[in-house]
Amino acid sequence: MLVSFFRITGIALLLAAIVPVLPLTGFGQYPRHRKINIAHRGASAYAPEHTLAAYRLAIEQGADYVEPDLQLTKDGVLVCLHDATLERTTDVRQVYPDRGRVEMVNGHLRTVWPVVEFTLEEIKRLDAGTWFSAQYAGERIPTLQEMLDAVRGKAGIYPEMKHPARYAALGLDMPRSLVEVLKNNGLDRPGADPRTPVIIQSFDADSLRRLRRLGCQLPLVFLVDDEAPGNWISPAGMRRIRRFAVGVAPSKRIVAKTPEVVRWARAAGLSVTLYTFKSGDTGNFPDVTAEMEHFLYKLGVDAVFTNHPDRFPREQPPELW
Ligand code: G3P
Ligand code: CA
């Protein structure tokens, strides 16, 4: 009796140790046949970020995937916007001068117009293009549905759930909303539309775990910030990420400082995607293409988010052979 107790307990302990590092079979995998060019907020170096104009230009420039950051409106609609507030990239100050609220942001008092305090109809009155250039006057904040309609069949989509915990505290379930939109479009399964693969990313591990609990089998990628890397940047950290994601996406600064991350991620079975490559932030590299070449072909990462999809180096340059 005692022997069989120890045998069963031993097997249970062994399983508990092994199961978390088993490959996530059945879930969509990260594409590995070539390096991946992800248009960060669309072709955002050339057109106002997160507008249909920026997404269309990204496709023209050869992006493999287009990235929408996602926020939720007061009436629960997913819209494409990086910030949780509207004032940086729209004319909300002029259109709704009395709807701003004063908040402490990074130690400073600022007036902000949170997306979640506006209905979709109200948000659609805002101009999201003029701040960038008069040429784009009249561009609107797109819904995720409008983004999908513009991109489908032409590129993949790589949505990022922004601030899912903040929305959950307000009773809005961002992972569920995302799954519903994808399902309505027949894009909720790996391989559903080979011309429009979907990969979901977030800085919030719990939101990715929640997607799995909701039955989402799409490839999930976990973002790691260089200013708040938590305890993920280690061989053990990579193995923990593999329990809920198929890829890790650290800031490029993390990999510049600790290039071993790529090896640790590979050993754990994770793909590696880096953010963000843009002119004016290329460190010692002469230009953004040279910087992407270094990380893609010298350090061996799989994919990059870039504001310049037209500058993506498809081939390994001879000097890095
Ligand atoms: O999602 C990758 C990268 O876009 C993360 O940074 O702030 O541009 O969303 P952010
Ligand atoms: Ca993003």
Side-chain angles (χ1 to χ4, degrees):
M1 185 77 171
L2 201 58
V3 170
S4 83
F5 169 79
F6 280 118
R7 188 174 297 149
I8 290 167
T9 308
I11 291 169
L13 286 173
L14 189 66
L15 280 174
I18 290 173
V19 166
V21 295
L22 286 176
L24 298 174
T25 49
F27 297 135
Q29 296 300 307
Y30 208 82
R32 294 296 275 275
H33 57 290
R34 67 171 181 167
K35 304 290 184 184
I36 308 292
N37 176 2
I38 308 160
H40 179 248
R41 313 184 193 178
S44 56
Y46 313 104
E49 65 185 55
H50 294 312
T51 58
L52 294 182
Y55 297 153
R56 290 192 181 110
L57 185 57
I59 293 164
E60 279 172 33
Q61 293 186 346
D64 298 308
Y65 286 77
V66 179
E67 183 212 25
D69 290 315
L70 299 176
Q71 307 284 348
L72 276 163
T73 64
K74 188 176 183 179
D75 44 346
V77 181
L78 285 169
V79 290
C80 304
L81 197 72
H82 176 270
D83 300 3
T85 60
L86 294 157
E87 63 281 355
R88 182 177 63 86
T89 57
T90 75
D91 57 352
V92 71
R93 279 191 183 85
Q94 288 76 50
V95 179
Y96 299 108
D98 305 326
R99 299 268 301 268
R101 59 157 65 219
V102 177
E103 278 186 3
M104 187 69 79
V105 180
N106 299 331
H108 299 282
L109 284 177
R110 265 183 43 199
T111 307
V112 296
W113 283 256
V115 178
V116 76
E117 295 183 5
F118 291 80
T119 64
L120 178 63
E121 194 201 343
E122 290 171 332
I123 282 174
K124 280 294 186 182
R125 289 185 210 142
L126 302 175
D127 180 318
T130 303
W131 71 275
F132 187 87
S133 148
Q135 176 195 348
Y136 291 103
E139 284 290 332
R140 303 287 153 189
I141 292 177
T143 62
L144 174 59
Q145 183 60 57
E146 290 164 340
M147 187 273 175
L148 287 175
D149 292 341
V151 173
R152 183 133 193 198
K154 302 177 187 123
I157 72 156
Y158 210 121
E160 179 188 345
M161 295 183 291
K162 284 284 186 201
H163 318 300
R166 273 195 235 166
Y167 286 109
L170 298 170
L172 292 168
D173 186 342
M174 182 177 272
R176 185 180 288 281
S177 298
L178 176 55
V179 166
E180 278 173 10
V181 173
L182 294 174
K183 198 167 186 179
N184 291 341
N185 286 272
L187 288 171
D188 56 322
R189 286 165 293 104
D193 180 349
R195 294 165 311 161
T196 310
V198 179
I199 300 172
I200 301 174
Q201 42 159 345
S202 184
F203 283 104
D204 182 318
D206 284 340
S207 72
L208 296 177
R209 295 187 188 104
R210 173 146 177 74
L211 282 175
R212 288 287 185 242
R213 283 200 300 279
L214 290 168
C216 176
Q217 303 226 323
L218 293 167
L220 305 182
V221 167
F222 182 53
L223 297 159
V224 184
D225 186 355
D226 53 309
E227 287 176 16
N231 57 359
W232 300 104
I233 303 303
S234 66
M238 295 295 132
R239 290 194 293 274
R240 281 188 289 115
I241 293 170
R242 187 69 178 101
R243 293 177 195 169
F244 57 86
V246 301
V248 61
S251 153
K252 64 186 182 184
R253 295 179 214 296
I254 290 177
V255 174
K257 192 170 152 211
T258 314
E260 306 90 297
V261 173
V262 179
R263 184 164 45 80
W264 298 339
R266 292 264 178 275
L270 293 167
S271 66
V272 183
T273 302
L274 299 189
Y275 70 91
T276 299
F277 292 82
K278 53 189 170 187
S279 64
D281 179 30
T282 58
N284 293 327
F285 296 95
D287 59 39
V288 70
T289 301
E291 189 190 17
M292 288 191 273
E293 280 170 352
H294 171 79
F295 283 97
L296 288 164
Y297 298 107
K298 195 145 192 215
L299 299 188
V301 308
D302 300 287
V304 293
F305 288 93
T306 179
N307 295 7
H308 308 261
D310 59 331
R311 308 283 303 277
F312 181 82
R314 278 281 168 217
E315 305 294 334
Q316 178 165 353
E319 66 269 24
L320 293 182
W321 285 358

